[in-house]
Amino acid sequence: MSKIRVGVLGATGAVGQRFAQLLANHPFFDLTVLAASDRSAGKPYREAANWILTEPMPARLAEMTVQEMSTELDCELVFSALPTSFANEWERKFAAAGYGVFSNAGTHRMDSDVPLILPEVNPDHLGLLERQRAERGWSRGFIVTNSNCTAMPMVMSLAPLMQFGPQAVIATSLQALSGAGYPGVPSLDAIDNVIPFIGESEEIKMNTESNKMLGRLNGQGVEPAGIKISAHCNRVPVSDGHTVTLSVSFKDKPSLGDIMEAWQTWEPLPQQLKLPSAPQPALVVRAEPNRPQPRLDRDAGGGMATVIGRLRPCEVLDVRFVCLAHNTIRGAAGGSVLNAELMLAQGRLEAFVAGVGAHVSA
Ligand code: NAP
């Protein structure tokens, strides 16, 4: 099968660079377009992007010219790392023009006809795409979103525990600086400090997005899971990797052993399908009393695994534990790439294979 040509929107930013890294040598996707704002357009990528990843910029991308935003890009799918303010308009324009859009922005996640996907948790929610296309009049294009990077490790930890009926969650996040993009939080605000505010909507997203992902697809849309979630979101001076501490109550009062077994035996769809970006296993459960830690655990499974530890009883709710994931890989670019791999495996990207169908300028 020939590779599907893909582009990255917002290619110079923190998430855009991860996309560039993950797509530079992908077995199914051929990265043909790097696009960003007018500030970067026309420059070689090596000049436009202030490369912040520890591995070098992929050589073949360094001389690619960054393109301006347009719905006439030479690709079939776009991975969007646009700021929310621009994502709304541009992602709709791309989908209307026939591109498949994999979005990291918060803009469309809670739209009732837009799938908000963690492939291990709710791959069936891709069924919303039929409704999306019918209602928006898009014959080929679509928008699929991935989760907020802090909700993501919490939802991955709770998904295998849905069988026990989680009812209430108190979640406290310790979020990395790269979660604010580049250059992000000023150094004098961040160093030697904890900032107990990420933005007006972060704690709301922890609640609404998590309940959507853990919810059930019915005929009309997604019925939220109905879990009460009280979130406290904090920025901490860590470069990459969001940690979330959780206290959870359950209707069925599972033992610690039941919970451990549910995590350790979980083998969801992307792992069964052996998708290239699917970590094996999806969840890494650490036994040490002082794990997970961002510096030691964020790169588990190539940055795609969710690492869990410190499972113990809770005096207020039922159990407590800690989870962690790499925010710009699993919580952003890698999550989007896995969504695309899943859709390809399900035959949902047939119209985007070279020579089949076409996008139209809009
Ligand atoms: P960022 O570092 O600030 O990067 C923003 C990118 O968007 C840059 O490439 C920038 O290009 C481009 N851009 C800005 N204005 C534009 C415009 N008018 N037209 C076209 N491109 C424009 O932000 P980020 O952290 O990568 O976040 C990108 C998106 O992912 C956001 O929606 C964010 O909420 C979401 N997200 C981020 C994370 C994370 O951990 N960082 C996790 C999950 C989701 P120039 O360099 O040319 O200005």
Side-chain angles (χ1 to χ4, degrees), residues 207-218:
N207 191 338
T208 54
E209 292 187 17
S210 301
N211 272 300
K212 180 172 178 180
M213 285 183 278
L214 292 166
R216 233 180 244 144
L217 185 68
N218 61 29

Side-chain angles (χ1 to χ4, degrees), residues 10 12-15 37 39-40 69 81-83 86 104 178-179 181-182 327 331:
T12 52
V15 174
S37 79
R39 288 181 290 277
S40 306
M69 295 290 288
L82 293 173
F86 299 103
N104 277 266
S178 61
Y182 185 83
N327 53 297

Side-chain angles (χ1 to χ4, degrees), residues 262-322:
W263 282 335
Q264 288 178 328
T265 57
W266 197 46
E267 199 196 6
L269 187 61
Q271 282 66 28
Q272 292 171 28
L273 293 173
K274 300 192 173 12
L275 299 179
S277 302
Q280 302 282 358
L283 301 178
V284 174
V285 184
R286 303 290 319 201
E288 304 91 323
N290 62 351
R291 302 286 282 273
Q293 297 179 19
R295 195 150 43 82
L296 301 181
D297 293 306
R298 62 191 168 209
D299 293 325
M304 290 296 286
T306 300
V307 186
I308 304 178
R310 301 218 65 216
L311 175 64
R312 61 213 191 281
C314 175
E315 299 292 321
V316 179
L317 300 181
D318 293 326
V319 299
R320 294 177 284 172
F321 56 90
V322 183

Side-chain angles (χ1 to χ4, degrees), residues 43-93:
K43 296 179 185 164
Y45 189 55
R46 63 172 161 69
E47 201 181 300
N50 179 18
W51 192 253
I52 56 171
L53 307 185
T54 48
E55 286 174 29
M57 179 183 282
R60 92 169 176 88
L61 305 186
E63 298 306 324
M64 274 173 72
T65 301
V66 176
Q67 301 194 31
E68 64 181 8
M69 295 290 288
S70 143
T71 53
E72 295 189 29
L73 299 177
D74 179 28
C75 58
E76 309 297 325
L77 305 176
V78 290
F79 291 93
S80 166
L82 293 173
T84 303
S85 45
F86 299 103
N88 187 25
E89 177 197 347
W90 277 106
E91 291 177 357
R92 274 192 285 117
K93 273 193 193 170

